[in-house]
Amino acid sequence: MASPDETIRICIQMLQNISEDSTIPRNIRRVADETKTVLRDESRSIGLRAATAISMIDEISNDPNMPVHARTRIWELVSQLETVPLD
């Protein structure tokens, strides 16, 4: 199992891939960029960063304009973030 720091690094890379995918609507790519910023903010605890990111991603996960392949990536991303301990 990856360390929380490694998990965050993997999630940032996944978000980067989403934000660079031109087949994904702009509003979803914007939230992916904002979520990357939250995950990189080392002034917060790693658990708080993960929880905030999950909340942000959850808001867009039900967007009806999201392509199926992007929704799958989002669910995979949330699953990764849920492994980060909150404390």
Side-chain angles (χ1 to χ4, degrees), residues 65-77:
N65 296 321
M66 185 181 301
V68 175
H69 74 279
R71 192 175 315 275
T72 304
R73 287 192 205 167
I74 293 292
W75 290 339
E76 186 179 338
L77 178 65

Side-chain angles (χ1 to χ4, degrees), residues 24-74:
I24 297 175
R26 197 173 325 152
N27 65 319
I28 296 168
R29 291 183 294 171
R30 182 180 37 80
V31 172
D33 281 334
E34 292 169 2
T35 305
K36 280 190 309 190
T37 303
V38 166
L39 289 176
R40 289 182 176 137
D41 181 8
E42 294 191 9
S43 68
R44 298 177 175 181
S45 73
I46 198 162
L48 179 59
R49 288 185 276 163
T52 304
I54 290 170
S55 176
M56 293 172 73
I57 293 167
D58 190 47
E59 289 180 27
I60 61 164
S61 67
N62 295 318
D63 188 318
N65 296 321
M66 185 181 301
V68 175
H69 74 279
R71 192 175 315 275
T72 304
R73 287 192 205 167
I74 293 292

Side-chain angles (χ1 to χ4, degrees), residues 5-18:
D5 288 326
E6 180 67 14
T7 300
I8 294 294
R9 189 189 66 70
I10 291 167
C11 290
I12 289 171
Q13 183 58 48
M14 292 170 76
L15 286 163
Q16 183 67 35
N17 292 340
I18 290 169

